Amino acid sequence: AVQLMTSLAVRTRFRRSPETAYETLRRLGLTANLKLSLDAGDRQSYATGQSWLDRSGAGYDFFLGADVAATATDPTFNGPAGGKSYANFFSFDGGDYFTYDTTNEAWMENLHKNNALYSSAAWMWFGSIDAFQGIFGDKGNVAVDIGTTLYVSDTNRVICETRNALGGLVDFNQTAANTIAAGRWYFIGYSVDEAAGANSAVFFVNGTKTTASATYTSPDTLDAAFTMQIGTFGNAVSPPSSGSRMAMFCMWEQRALTVSEMIAIYQATRGRFGV
């Protein structure tokens, strides 16, 4: 009995306490070229107010909704603030999203251009899968809108697409093999190294990868059509369905995370969401 109690005490003593997204990335050594670290369970990222605050160190903050004002487009925070648990997330009602709080940064404009090199990672829950639902984007949905978007389609799959202004040409469109279902948490990761070509666009859905060509057919040199948004294609197009949730959103630019790095993030954060 003494041995059992001692063993339990040791395990309890060394059990890792809940971490924020930024704490996890720092522990894993994945903060180089980190551009966004947004976490609904991190009090320094969100406690109250109209902005979801970036923890990367660069201060790339996003408004709740269309702008700094409280409007019907604001996602709803579910707390308590700083809880670092499955109960911390933003919920959507079918018309909600986040908008970058100033004009797009140069790194954001690089996502749809030649030699694009970036990664994203998010924890999301979809209320239903019956329409296109944006994860992030800056291109809207008009044929000649320049930009990029990562989204879940009405066929239950994660897709990344970029467009240029040359007659609305889709110069990049790749789809993950894994399917997404409504009513459960998913880790959705994506990395692209456009210059590397074959097998250098990689989707991660709850630890399973899909690879595809990363080559952009005819990338535009001009800037994106719209300000970057999280939870849309851009320009408030195709927000997450009613009942959807987002708990974390991270991005890197000038860095494509490796398969092992992306899986490490998934394994380090999945326990918070019971996955």
Side-chain angles (χ1 to χ4, degrees):
V2 172
Q3 289 179 335
L4 177 60
M5 290 178 65
T6 302
S7 178
L8 288 171
V10 169
R11 288 203 300 270
T12 300
R13 179 181 176 187
F14 290 100
R15 184 179 298 137
R16 182 173 291 117
S17 61
E19 295 178 316
T20 65
Y22 183 73
E23 288 169 343
T24 294
L25 297 178
R26 185 174 58 189
R27 176 172 59 81
L28 294 174
L30 298 177
T31 57
N33 297 98
L34 180 66
K35 300 299 185 184
L36 292 174
S37 181
L38 304 166
D39 182 357
D42 182 349
R43 184 180 290 273
Q44 294 184 64
S45 187
Y46 190 83
T48 187
Q50 285 300 117
S51 293
W52 199 4
L53 303 177
D54 168 38
R55 292 290 314 282
S56 75
Y60 299 128
D61 306 331
F62 280 71
F63 292 132
L64 276 62
D67 52 38
V68 70
T71 69
T73 61
D74 295 1
T76 299
F77 175 69
N78 295 260
K84 295 188 283 188
S85 80
Y86 67 90
N88 293 107
F89 57 86
F90 286 96
S91 56
F92 302 87
D93 66 6
D96 299 338
Y97 49 85
F98 301 90
T99 304
Y100 186 51
D101 67 359
T102 185
T103 55
N104 286 346
E105 304 296 331
W107 69 264
M108 297 176 181
E109 301 293 359
N110 289 339
L111 306 185
H112 65 271
K113 295 179 180 179
N114 195 35
N115 298 320
L117 181 65
Y118 71 92
S119 297
S120 67
W123 275 99
M124 293 190 71
W125 165 303
F126 295 92
S128 61
I129 306 288
D130 53 10
F132 290 180
Q133 301 179 64
I135 298 172
F136 75 86
D138 56 12
K139 78 172 189 61
N141 203 33
V142 176
V144 294
D145 288 343
I146 300 169
T148 192
T149 184
L150 186 72
Y151 64 97
V152 173
S153 73
D154 57 357
T155 60
N156 300 36
R157 298 180 189 276
V158 181
I159 296 175
C160 187
E161 177 181 303
T162 70
R163 285 183 181 265
N164 63 29
L166 302 174
L169 177 67
V170 177
D171 72 6
F172 180 80
N173 185 292
Q174 297 289 7
T175 304
N178 318 76
T179 57
I180 300 288
R184 57 169 296 186
W185 284 106
Y186 284 94
F187 175 83
I188 300 174
Y190 177 69
S191 287
V192 64
D193 182 353
E194 194 273 337
N199 299 319
S200 295
V202 188
F203 297 89
F204 302 84
V205 178
N206 280 7
T208 302
K209 70 170 183 172
T210 300
T211 62
S213 172
T215 302
Y216 291 5
T217 303
S218 184
D220 214 304
T221 59
L222 300 178
D223 288 344
F226 300 104
T227 302
M228 179 179 280
Q229 294 183 326
I230 297 171
T232 77
F233 281 42
N235 198 32
V237 173
S238 298
S241 57
S242 181
S244 296
R245 308 170 184 176
M246 178 178 281
M248 297 179 184
F249 184 83
C250 301
M251 287 196 80
W252 297 254
E253 200 266 334
Q254 291 304 300
R255 179 174 187 172
L257 297 186
T258 66
V259 171
S260 60
E261 288 170 339
M262 195 69 80
I263 291 175
I265 298 171
Y266 168 65
Q267 294 292 357
T269 55
R270 63 184 294 190
R272 172 167 157 182
F273 303 98
V275 175

